[in-house]
Amino acid sequence: MGGAGAVRAGLPAPAPLRIGNASGFYGDRFDAVREMLTGGPLDVLTGDYLAELTMLILGRDRLKDPNRGYARTFLRQLEEGLGLAVERGVRIVTNAGGLAPAALADAVRELADRVGVPVRVAHVEGDDVVERAQREGWGQGALTANAYLGGAGIAACLRAGADVVVTGRVTDAALVSGPAAAHFGWAPDDWDALAGAVVAGHVLECGAQATGGNYAFFTEHLARPQDPPGSLQPSVEPFAHQTAPGSGSAELLAGRAAPAGPARRAPYRPGFPLAEIHADGSCVITKHPGTGGAVTTETVTAQLLYETQGARYAGPDVTARLDALRLTREGPDRVRISGARGEAPPPDVKVGLTRLGGWRNEVTFVLTGLDIEAKATLVRDQVEEALAGQRPAEVRWTLARTDRADAAVQEEASALLRLVARDPRPEPVGRALSGAAVELALASIPGFHVTAPPGKGAPYGVFEAAFVPAASVPHTAVLPGGERLSVDPPAHTRGLLQLDAPPLPEPLPAGLPTVRAPLGRVVGARSGDKGGSANIGVWARSDAGWRWLAHELTVERLRHLLPEVEELQITRHPLPNLRALNFLVEGLLGEGVAAQARFDPQAKAVGEWLRARQLDLPEVLL
């Protein structure tokens, strides 16, 4: 009987599973593997190295060498980490295999032999469908095409005794749900338990973002100038037990930053997160003692909202209902997530495709002092005239008014005029473009200069998503002994139906006194990319704040606050259980991060832009 079944039958449940994360992207903190293995007890250590842009990078690596399509940093981390993991009984699960999981598995075996640490290595494959995509015509020109597999293959490898499991493209959350399913013996239709593990995996997948990294209210976690030199930044919530996300003035008040003084702050270095997963799928998000940052209901809320779309969080194993979750503070740096509900997964799985979109180049002109608009017009007209004979297919100009009047520093007196050009061919964005810019050096605006010499142009990538039947993807676990185990697709599936809008709280009383101030005084936000679209999650810090936010921040209000999205399709998803709203802004990022269509190509700072916008805030919230 599996763990979830044992709980339902009233039998003793297996011990909780402690799963940590040591990487949120390819390039994350190198020392995190050692930190997590030596910082406290763990059962499993995961590493997430893959993102949409990473797949394109690995695809270009593979063009040079068929065995180079994996995250090589992981091997260097294992040189020290493998012995530590075996010594402490920690299993390692990672998607660092990228486009070549079998090759990375072989490299791990070679490394183990070299360092004298015997381990059983397994890998998961079947996600690479690029040949099929090209053959069937829905992936023409694709450099990579990878289906997002679930955690069942990982679970099979662990059940077979693997110490290290390497995968290609699986969902980020599968790195956690797979080990949990293996540990607790969950059946494929233990939807609620699987959903809980998927939620835990989503919180862990981005590493330190769950422990105070990239957090809207980061100043509340900084060490204060009066703290002793070298002391850790405070991470203890000094308030009583509460069962809702945040509490505004109460939560982390003792950690609020003091006015700047001559004393030097301790560096802000959030630790990496871990989850204590229970047999019913509930979990506690925490971190190793003594590490930096903080785990609070709000840091967890921020990550739950990150790059999700609505109340249903669909995956290949289960669809998790984010609208059923409950967050509870259990103590310093401990947040329990419970109430997870799961549904059968969709019949189709997502396939991420990358391809080379063409060639791009950019030039940033610095405009200083007076007559900024006139200077921008002159530079634009001169460059456009020079390009007339070989104009790139796409030319985009943006003027950032970073200047201010009567500035005491030259940089603060300057605005930035950015030109981005794209074309299927390299020539129009190469010498033709750089020459048009450089040749203006003595014949244009007063004070003419650019931020950097124009380059010769470079190829850019495009990401797009497709969907194929889950049963058509050959999900295979290659066990430590070399046996190949085919993983069956879900026996039950369910299409994603639109949910009815949840009831909203009563609005605040009309006529309350207001103050003109930035929205971020009363709400937090976190934003990110989903292909060519952007996700903006916004949460209130108190019940009163939620009563105001739920009625104030409509789609129309968002369009007004962020004029750049005014013409785009926007969907709003309320999540009352998190006191949060999640917005999906379609098309803001063009063809995805690799295309670098805008100033912030991954929409990482759109949430902070929103928080900086001013509107009339009820005084009672301040």
Side-chain angles (χ1 to χ4, degrees), residues 67-438:
N67 291 321
R68 279 187 56 188
Y70 58 77
R72 287 169 287 172
T73 300
F74 172 69
L75 279 178
R76 293 196 294 120
Q77 290 172 309
L78 274 197
E79 289 183 4
E80 177 186 15
L82 190 61
L84 291 171
V86 171
E87 176 185 311
R88 289 160 171 76
V90 180
R91 296 183 177 190
I92 296 176
V93 179
T94 180
N95 62 12
L99 303 177
L104 179 56
D106 287 341
V108 171
R109 294 185 187 98
E110 292 172 5
L111 183 149
D113 290 342
R114 175 163 53 84
V115 299
V117 180
V119 291
R120 292 162 294 185
V121 183
H123 73 274
V124 177
E125 61 186 32
D127 60 295
D128 193 338
V129 294
V130 66
E131 293 183 2
R132 169 188 170 184
Q134 294 171 344
R135 183 175 64 252
E136 296 180 0
W138 50 271
Q140 289 187 356
L143 181 62
T144 68
N146 295 80
Y148 287 71
L149 303 179
I154 295 171
C157 292
L158 293 172
R159 288 177 181 136
D163 301 304
V164 179
V165 180
V166 172
T167 77
R169 202 19 150 168
V170 296
T171 64
D172 299 339
L175 300 176
V176 171
S177 64
H183 178 75
F184 295 113
W186 292 334
D189 59 356
D190 277 329
W191 307 129
D192 292 349
L194 285 167
V198 164
V199 168
H202 179 63
V203 174
L204 296 190
E205 71 186 48
C206 290
Q209 279 199 166
T211 58
N214 300 355
Y215 175 56
F217 303 104
F218 71 97
T219 57
E220 298 176 355
H221 300 285
L222 296 176
R224 296 160 294 187
Q226 65 267 30
D227 290 335
S231 64
L232 291 170
Q233 55 270 35
S235 60
V236 176
E237 295 171 303
F239 61 97
H241 176 89
Q242 70 178 46
T243 58
S247 67
S249 61
E251 188 162 10
L252 285 168
L253 186 58
R256 197 177 296 276
R264 184 178 179 182
R265 295 184 186 274
Y268 188 61
R269 197 170 192 263
F272 276 68
L274 63 93
E276 299 169 356
I277 301 179
H278 295 260
D280 63 353
S282 64
C283 71
V284 173
I285 305 298
T286 184
K287 62 188 183 71
H288 284 325
T291 56
V295 177
T296 73
T297 49
E298 290 196 74
T299 67
V300 174
T301 295
Q303 184 56 26
L304 284 172
L305 297 174
Y306 181 64
E307 295 183 351
T308 56
Q309 301 176 27
R312 280 194 167 106
Y313 186 55
D317 295 323
V318 65
T319 294
R321 291 288 296 269
L322 302 183
D323 56 349
L325 301 177
R326 297 189 300 273
L327 305 188
T328 309
R329 177 181 179 258
E330 287 212 332
D333 295 318
R334 292 181 63 83
V335 174
R336 175 173 291 279
I337 305 178
S338 59
R341 287 169 47 202
E343 301 169 346
D348 296 336
V349 295
K350 178 180 175 180
V351 176
L353 299 101
T354 66
R355 57 181 171 82
L356 296 179
W359 294 76
R360 73 182 297 279
N361 203 347
E362 67 176 86
V363 186
T364 301
F365 303 88
V366 183
L367 318 177
T368 305
L370 305 177
D371 305 318
I372 295 296
E373 297 289 342
K375 288 174 178 175
T377 298
L378 177 57
V379 170
R380 198 160 43 227
D381 289 348
Q382 289 179 308
V383 172
E384 291 282 0
E385 182 182 17
L387 293 176
Q390 195 175 189
R391 194 176 194 275
E394 178 186 345
V395 175
R396 181 178 180 182
W397 295 89
T398 55
L399 175 62
R401 294 300 304 263
T402 51
D403 59 303
R404 66 182 187 185
D406 197 24
V409 178
Q410 180 179 335
E411 189 171 358
E412 296 175 1
S414 302
L416 300 176
L417 179 64
R418 183 172 180 241
L419 163 64
V420 177
R422 292 184 179 81
D423 197 274
R425 300 165 299 149
E427 293 81 11
V429 300
R431 172 61 186 165
L433 183 75
S434 61
V438 171

Side-chain angles (χ1 to χ4, degrees), residues 413-478:
S414 302
L416 300 176
L417 179 64
R418 183 172 180 241
L419 163 64
V420 177
R422 292 184 179 81
D423 197 274
R425 300 165 299 149
E427 293 81 11
V429 300
R431 172 61 186 165
L433 183 75
S434 61
V438 171
E439 290 169 6
L440 296 180
L442 302 179
S444 187
I445 60 173
F448 179 96
H449 65 288
V450 294
T451 57
K456 60 182 180 180
Y460 72 89
V462 171
F463 175 89
E464 59 188 71
F467 292 86
V468 298
S472 70
V473 178
H475 189 172
T476 303
V478 184

Side-chain angles (χ1 to χ4, degrees), residues 517-590:
L519 177 62
R521 291 281 303 277
V522 295
V523 305
R526 177 166 290 170
S527 56
D529 61 314
K530 275 293 182 184
S533 299
N535 144 257
I536 312 170
V538 185
W539 74 91
R541 310 199 77 188
S542 65
D543 288 339
W546 171 236
R547 290 174 61 188
W548 176 81
L549 177 67
H551 298 278
E552 175 67 22
L553 194 56
T554 61
V555 169
E556 291 71 25
R557 174 68 73 172
L558 185 73
R559 294 186 194 279
H560 173 75
L561 293 172
L562 306 182
E564 191 178 342
V565 308
E566 188 172 5
E567 302 299 323
L568 301 177
Q569 177 67 39
I570 302 174
T571 306
R572 185 180 103 144
H573 301 281
L575 293 166
N577 57 314
L578 301 177
R579 295 197 301 229
L581 303 171
N582 218 337
F583 294 91
L584 179 67
V585 183
E586 298 183 32
L588 179 63
L589 306 180

